Structures are given as C-alpha cells and as structure tokens.
C-alpha cells in the first residue's frame, strides 16, 4: 500500500526541510568565521597584546613578530560545508589552501582553488596553519604526538569542530617545548575544561562558534538548537558539520 502525503503534511515537511537547510547555512557561516577569528587571534597574538595594553606593557609589541596570514599555507582536515567556507575566507586573506577529506573528490576541491592532499605526513610538514573540521570517530584523536612532530615549529593548530580531536596532553607538551607555534581552541575533550587545564593558556573560547542571536532569523531555529543541544546523539563538545 502506497503512502499519501496530505497538503498539511507537505507544508510541515517543507518547513522542516527549509529549517534544517537554514540551520546548516547559519551554522557553517558562523563556524567558518569563528575559525578565521581564532586563526587571526593566534597569529597576531591578540590575547598577549590585550593583556599587555591593560597592564602597562606597551613595549610588548617589540618582543615578538606577529604572523601574517597572507602567503601562508592552510591545511584543512575535512572539506564539508564548513571546511569549504573556511577555504573561501582564507583565500580572501591571500592564503594557499590544501585539504584532506577521503569523502570528497579531488575535482571538487580543485574547482574551489584548493589543493587535494592524499599524504597527510607531507601536508603537516608544509602547513603553516592546520584547521580541523572532521567528526570524532571512536574517541580517537586525529592529532597526536606523531602528527605534532611532523609540523613546522611555527605552525598553528585551530580546532572549532570536536573536543577530543587533539591529544591535549601531547599538544600541551609540544607548546611548552616550543615544537609548534600556537593553538586556538573552541572545544575541549572535557567541557567546561578544568580551571587548571594548561591549554587555557592558548587562544580559547567556550564553544562560542554558533551565535545564538543569528538563529532568530531561522524559522524554528531555537527549537532546532534545543533539540540538538539536548540530543543524546550529539555530544556537547561538538559542532555539526
């Protein structure tokens, strides 16, 4: 027996589809912009400058050389909706972008001016910035001791995707030993992080990549947020791709 969709059912399903599409667009824009903010904050040492300006340390500007995004290489791990928006924004800053995503074809990346990466080992050694946009599968980090050892000494890691994607102990050690340049984190393995978490000394934000006010413009946006926030299938330390 076939199913019949009444006009009222059609209207409800259409509204739901539009709502989910609108949510995805709002979310991807917000996360992509937040990712670029984190990159800039880490590269330009914004937190250091801000604190020094408030405490009389005006000459801190002479203590190190901020990094420019222009002419730098960005490695995107994950090339879904968010990764593609990050690529577009990074290119506007004059960055070269490469991406690794086993579920996206090389042609799709090249069409957006992005270089596809098959060998992550080589990509890590050539990237100035690494930004994560992948799901957390099996609770296993995608960035650990081995990956950190392959990165440039001035590389900056950005994670606005999932807590747990980076081995936090390994990252802390690499930062303390000066083996990488910096990190900017919007998510942590444990949220909220404990006050003594050493990674709070990096550029950090409290899972703030989705502006709640923007959901007012999305039909049913607040309901979607509530359902996603309290859904047992979506952990708090995550961001929908």
């Amino acid at each position: 027996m076939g199913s019949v969709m009444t006009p009222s059912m059609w209207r409800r399903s259409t509204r739901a589809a539009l709502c989910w599409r609108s949510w995805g667009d709002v979310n991807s824009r917000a996360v992509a912009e937040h990712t670029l903010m984190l990159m800039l904050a880490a590269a330009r040492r914004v937190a250091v400058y801000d604190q020094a300006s408030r405490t009389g340390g005006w000459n801190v500007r002479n203590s190190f050389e901020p990094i420019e995004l222009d002419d730098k290489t960005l490695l995107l791990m994950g090339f879904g909706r968010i990764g593609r928006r990050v690529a577009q924004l990074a290119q506007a800053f004059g960055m070269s972008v490469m991406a690794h995503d086993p579920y996206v074809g090389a042609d799709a990346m090249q069409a957006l001016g992005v270089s596809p990466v098959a060998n992550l080992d080589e990509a890590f050694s050539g990237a100035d910035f690494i930004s994560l946009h992948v799901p957390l599968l099996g609770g296993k980090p995608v960035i650990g001791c081995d990956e950190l050892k392959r990165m440039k000494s001035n590389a900056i890691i950005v994670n606005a995707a999932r807590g747990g994607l980076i081995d936090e102990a390994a990252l802390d050690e690499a930062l303390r030993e000066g083996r990488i340049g910096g990190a900017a984190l919007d998510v942590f393995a444990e949220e909220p992080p404990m006050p003594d978490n050493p990674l709070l000394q990096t550029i950090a934000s409290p899972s703030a990549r989705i502006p709640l006010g923007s959901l007012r413009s999305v039909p049913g946006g607040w309901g979607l947020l509530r359902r996603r926030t309290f859904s047992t299938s979506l952990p708090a330390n995550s961001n929908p791709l």
Side-chain angles (χ1 to χ4, degrees), residues 3-212:
S3 60
V4 177
M5 178 172 285
T6 66
S8 61
M9 291 170 61
W10 172 260
R11 286 194 295 271
R12 286 197 297 272
S13 66
T14 301
R15 284 198 297 270
L18 289 173
C19 188
W20 279 109
R21 181 175 179 181
S22 298
W23 162 266
D25 289 341
V26 169
N27 187 38
S28 61
R29 290 198 304 269
V31 178
E33 290 180 8
H34 199 81
T35 298
L36 262 291
M37 182 276 292
L38 292 171
M39 288 173 56
L40 285 165
R44 305 298 295 183
R45 305 294 196 270
V46 170
V48 175
Y49 283 159
D50 178 77
Q51 183 63 24
S53 298
R54 297 170 189 274
T55 56
W58 201 252
N59 290 327
V60 71
R61 59 183 178 174
N62 302 320
S63 61
F64 52 80
E65 186 68 27
I67 300 171
E68 296 179 349
L69 268 60
D70 184 46
D71 204 32
K72 297 299 188 299
T73 298
L74 167 64
L75 169 62
L76 296 173
M77 294 185 67
F79 201 64
R81 192 191 323 233
I82 295 170
R84 296 176 195 216
R85 284 189 177 273
V86 172
Q88 293 170 346
L89 293 174
Q91 288 166 341
F93 276 89
M95 302 185 79
S96 299
V97 182
M98 52 184 177
H100 173 78
D101 193 322
Y103 302 103
V104 179
D107 290 346
M109 295 183 186
Q110 292 168 342
L112 296 175
V114 174
S115 300
V117 169
N119 189 324
L120 271 177
D121 290 347
E122 295 179 2
F124 284 136
S125 64
D128 301 295
F129 293 82
I130 299 96
S131 187
L132 308 182
H133 302 283
V134 295
L136 179 63
L137 299 176
K140 183 180 179 181
V142 298
I143 300 293
C145 292
D146 292 341
E147 290 76 19
L148 289 164
K149 289 177 181 177
R150 297 186 180 99
M151 296 179 187
K152 292 182 176 182
S153 60
N154 61 347
I156 292 175
I157 301 174
V158 178
N159 185 10
R162 305 286 194 278
L165 285 174
I166 302 175
D167 182 330
E168 294 185 355
L171 176 59
D172 176 49
E173 181 179 344
L175 289 167
R176 285 188 289 103
E177 295 179 356
R179 289 189 279 111
I180 63 170
L185 309 172
D186 186 61
V187 286
F188 294 83
E190 179 184 355
E191 294 185 349
M194 297 298 290
D196 60 351
N197 187 328
L199 292 180
L200 291 176
Q201 301 301 314
T202 67
I203 298 294
S205 60
S207 293
R209 60 203 175 276
I210 304 175
L212 302 186

